[in-house]
Amino acid sequence: MSPSPRLPGIRPALVALALTVALTGCSASSDDAEASQPIADACAGVSARVDAAMTAFADVDAADPAAAADALAAVVDRLGDASRSIDNAKLEKTVTKLHDGFATLSDAVDAAASGDITGVAGLATATEDIRAAGAEFARLCSD
């Protein structure tokens, strides 16, 4: 099936998200109030997984909705694995929000790949959720 003329709108959203989320690094913070695991340890343990998910996301080809849907499903899986590995309530909540934003985006792109462009309306919400969670991740895991 050839891409719908409205699908090119997905590409700018994916590119903007890739740039926003790729800038979220992880080193250390003292925001440990609700944590079993110190935030610095939690960040160190999860940053490689989040980075791998973001690298996979950056490689998404929005020109091919079916391939983009598959790639985003892999990103969602990686972020889900990462969130389950965290023993720090605040960081786990943040990575879960990042996961959920990508899950919404993945659903919209998957629907678009199947020819259902009604899910594209969820891109704005997914974009905002991913940006907010990415900013919170950076805040928690920065010096």
Side-chain angles (χ1 to χ4, degrees), residues 12-143:
L14 294 176
V15 171
L17 287 172
L19 293 173
T20 300
V21 179
L23 298 175
T24 60
C26 194
S27 58
S29 175
S30 59
D31 202 352
D32 291 339
E34 300 176 25
S36 299
Q37 180 182 36
I39 194 77
D41 293 346
C43 286
V46 76
S47 65
R49 291 179 181 176
V50 172
D51 289 347
M54 296 306 100
T55 297
F57 174 66
D59 293 339
V60 169
D61 180 6
D64 182 352
D70 290 343
L72 283 168
V75 168
V76 170
D77 289 345
R78 288 179 180 173
L79 289 172
D81 290 344
S83 69
R84 288 186 293 276
S85 73
I86 301 168
D87 189 22
N88 178 288
K90 285 186 178 183
L91 188 60
E92 179 182 8
K93 182 178 178 182
T94 298
V95 174
T96 298
K97 286 180 182 178
L98 192 60
H99 167 270
D100 293 348
F102 274 104
T104 300
L105 180 63
S106 178
D107 291 345
V109 172
D110 188 46
S114 301
D116 177 9
I117 59 170
T118 59
V120 174
L123 288 176
T125 300
T127 300
E128 183 53 37
D129 291 348
I130 292 167
R131 285 184 183 158
E136 179 66 7
F137 183 82
R139 186 190 71 76
L140 288 172
C141 294
S142 64
D143 290 331

